[in-house]
């Protein structure tokens, strides 16, 4: 039977992700637009994004938080290009984005002293292989496989290397133990449903010490440079961005942060994401034709929920199209490099009632396609 009820919001894309419930462009402040980002007003709004990010995520005193160019990719690339090469690096990859970082380290930076630990889609590599005296590069949540690290217990408290963590689809939805993370990056377009444009870069005191003591042997373009004369450019972490940011995107991010705060901050965001995952877990548990791509339940992502079906790639495409045509789930096909399947964003901005309304459609569409 074709379901009657449709989700109020069918946006399940894994980036840009659904806007917060009740979002309205009209709610954004506009007096800051058309003005210099270096005006007192402009700087204060950028600085507020930084301080609210710090407060809501519980980032410790002493850790720097900066707004940098080019989204999560920009933030992670500038960290890798600025910090790596001082010592050997252990790279853990299990899906497309992690593999991209590995490629850059091996083929662009050409670091000879790199150890690669790779796992196929659905699995995690053996994280305990990491050497605490090496730098460690990993992704907290593999957005394209729906596999996350279950915790950071495998990272030594007495490490001498740095940990570089791409946490773009994890922050604001999963707990990040900051003492284990020296570099953390994320973008605005993910977990709070912000606008793409800028990246956030979080640096531990040890990462700053590396920046101030180590000069990589390769040239660094201006948009990657975080130091001058061997000293950290503090202003980047106070709202004076390297180049011109989108003040509209910043206002949009501030709106998302205010919503996050109003609903109860990080614990509420995490709870909402977990509850969304639980709706899929209940659905999958009673159906033999659909399963999580993540093989181990403790590694299941609560944000990018990736599912495999007993359908051919062609049939999956048809199913995705059918859900879109019915207007019940948009952009829910798996990532282009991932195995054929479905991916539903389940971060905190997604409403559980929309998932509840969508799931019967998924069942209906499956049977339509399966014939
Ligand atoms: C894990 C991960 N890393 C990096 C990126 C790239 O992010 P951006 O497009 O914001 O640079 C994404 C985007 O989906 C991602 O999921």
């Amino acid at each position: 039977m074709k379901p009657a009820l449709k989700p109020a919001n069918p946006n399940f894309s894994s980036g840009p992700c659904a806007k917060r419930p009740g979002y309205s462009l009209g709610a954004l402040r506009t007096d800051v637009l058309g003005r210099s980002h270096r005006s007192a007003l402009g700087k204060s709004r950028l600085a507020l994004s930084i301080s609210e990010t710090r407060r809501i995520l519980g980032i410790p005193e002493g850790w720097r938080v900066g707004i940098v160019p080019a989204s999560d990719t920009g933030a992670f690339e500038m960290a890798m290009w600025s910090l790596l090469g001082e010592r050997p690096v252990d790279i853990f990859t299990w899906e497309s984005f992690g593999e991209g970082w590995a490629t850059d380290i091996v083929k662009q930076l050409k670091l000879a002293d790199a150890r690669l630990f790779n796992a196929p889609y659905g699995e995690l590599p053996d994280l305990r292989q990491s050497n605490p005296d090496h730098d460690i590069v990993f992704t907290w949540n593999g957005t394209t496989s729906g596999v996350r690290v279950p915790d950071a217990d495998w990272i030594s408290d007495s490490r001498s290397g740095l940990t570089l963590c791409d946490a773009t689809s994890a922050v604001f939805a999963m707990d990040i133990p900051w003492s284990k993370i020296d570099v953390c990056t994320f973008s605005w377009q993910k977990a709070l449903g912000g606008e793409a444009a800028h990246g956030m870069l979080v640096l531990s005191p040890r990462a700053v010490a590396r920046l101030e003591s180590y000069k990589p042997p390769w040239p660094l373009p201006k948009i990657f440079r975080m130091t001058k004369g061997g000293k950290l450019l503090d202003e980047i972490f106070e709202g004076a961005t390297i180049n011109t940011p989108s003040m509209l995107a910043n206002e949009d991010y501030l709106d998302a942060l205010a919503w996050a705060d109003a609903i109860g901050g990080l614990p509420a965001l995490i709870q909402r994401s977990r509850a969304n995952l639980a709706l899929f877990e209940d659905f999958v548990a009673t159906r033999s034709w659909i399963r999580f791509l993540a093989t181990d339940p403790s590694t299941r992502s609560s944000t990018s929920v990736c599912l495999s079906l007993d359908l051919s790639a062609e049939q999956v495409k048809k199913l995705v199209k059918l859900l879109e045509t019915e207007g019940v789930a948009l952009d829910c096909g798996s990532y282009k490099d991932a195995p054929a399947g479905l991916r539903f964003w389940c971060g905190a901005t997604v409403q559980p009632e929309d998932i509840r309304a969508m799931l019967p459609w998924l069942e209906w569409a499956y049977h339509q396609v399966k014939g």
Side-chain angles (χ1 to χ4, degrees), residues 14-15 70-76 95 97-98 101 139-144 166-169 185-190 196-198 335 343 345:
S14 294
S71 209
D72 180 63
T73 308
F76 207 74
E95 52 83 61
F97 285 104
W101 308 140
T139 305
W140 192 278
N141 181 74
T143 321
T144 67
D166 169 5
T168 197
S169 54
T185 67
F186 56 96
S187 60
W188 291 351
Q189 47 97 359
K190 276 278 188 299
H198 305 300
Y335 189 69
R343 180 176 61 162
W345 184 257

Side-chain angles (χ1 to χ4, degrees), residues 262-278:
I263 64 160
L266 186 59
L269 296 169
I270 292 174
Q271 174 51 30
R272 280 177 65 90
S273 180
R274 283 191 186 154
N276 282 344
L277 168 63

Side-chain angles (χ1 to χ4, degrees), residues 230-254:
K231 292 300 290 175
L232 188 74
L233 287 167
D234 282 317
E235 68 233 37
I236 299 175
F237 304 91
E238 292 161 0
T241 47
I242 298 173
N243 65 339
T244 315
S246 162
M247 299 307 283
L248 184 56
N250 188 57
E251 286 306 313
D252 186 83
Y253 182 51
L254 281 169

Side-chain angles (χ1 to χ4, degrees), residues 5-19:
L5 181 72
K6 293 190 176 188
N9 182 358
N11 293 353
F12 292 104
S13 155
S14 294
C17 302
K19 290 291 189 190

Side-chain angles (χ1 to χ4, degrees), residues 38-316:
R38 304 201 191 277
S39 66
L41 175 63
K43 256 189 89 171
S44 74
R45 299 300 284 171
L46 292 162
L48 187 61
S49 283
I50 290 174
S51 59
E52 286 299 90
T53 299
R54 178 193 293 285
R55 188 173 65 81
I56 290 168
L57 289 179
I59 298 171
E61 278 298 309
W63 265 245
R64 312 292 179 115
V65 181
I67 298 171
V68 300
S71 209
D72 180 63
T73 308
F76 207 74
E77 291 285 1
M78 81 192 278
M80 290 197 297
W81 284 69
S82 300
L83 292 162
L84 294 182
E86 192 247 11
R87 61 180 64 218
V89 56
D90 292 347
I91 315 162
F92 293 89
T93 71
W94 54 97
E95 52 83 61
S96 177
F97 285 104
E99 281 159 19
W101 308 140
T103 301
D104 282 7
I105 292 168
V106 175
K107 298 217 168 116
Q108 298 293 327
L109 295 177
K110 299 190 180 9
L111 295 190
D113 240 345
R115 298 196 302 165
L116 264 166
F117 302 93
N118 175 255
Y121 274 82
E123 288 168 37
L124 267 188
D126 183 3
L127 303 165
R128 289 163 308 178
Q129 301 273 337
S130 63
N131 181 333
D133 296 325
H134 294 181
D135 291 332
I136 298 171
V137 170
F138 73 105
T139 305
W140 192 278
N141 181 74
T143 321
T144 67
S145 71
V147 173
R148 51 165 290 177
V149 296
D151 52 48
D153 296 353
W154 52 281
I155 296 173
S156 165
D157 288 321
S158 54
R159 66 192 177 277
S160 64
L162 299 177
T163 50
L164 280 69
C165 176
D166 169 5
T168 197
S169 54
V171 285
F172 297 113
M174 299 172 198
D175 202 26
I176 307 288
W178 294 102
S179 67
K180 302 278 193 182
I181 305 295
D182 296 301
V183 177
C184 174
T185 67
F186 56 96
S187 60
W188 291 351
Q189 47 97 359
K190 276 278 188 299
L192 293 184
E195 287 302 293
H198 305 300
M200 299 302 287
L201 176 66
V202 182
L203 300 176
S204 75
R206 290 178 57 248
V208 173
R210 168 81 64 87
L211 281 174
E212 294 188 329
S213 62
Y214 165 69
K215 195 171 180 310
W218 43 77
L220 281 181
K222 178 176 171 179
I223 57 164
F224 282 3
R225 287 202 295 270
M226 287 183 267
T227 58
K228 193 171 181 186
K231 292 300 290 175
L232 188 74
L233 287 167
D234 282 317
E235 68 233 37
I236 299 175
F237 304 91
E238 292 161 0
T241 47
I242 298 173
N243 65 339
T244 315
S246 162
M247 299 307 283
L248 184 56
N250 188 57
E251 286 306 313
D252 186 83
Y253 182 51
L254 281 169
D255 171 83
L257 288 166
W259 168 78
D261 195 33
I263 64 160
L266 186 59
L269 296 169
I270 292 174
Q271 174 51 30
R272 280 177 65 90
S273 180
R274 283 191 186 154
N276 282 344
L277 168 63
L279 293 173
F280 276 93
E281 289 181 323
D282 289 348
F283 181 83
V284 168
T286 52
R287 283 154 185 90
S288 60
W289 51 268
I290 188 164
R291 66 207 153 276
F292 286 89
L293 187 53
T295 49
D296 174 351
S298 75
T299 69
R300 264 178 209 160
S301 169
S302 66
T303 53
S304 57
V305 171
C306 294
L307 303 162
S308 299
L309 296 88
D310 70 352
L311 294 177
S312 69
E314 233 8 76
Q315 287 173 313
V316 171

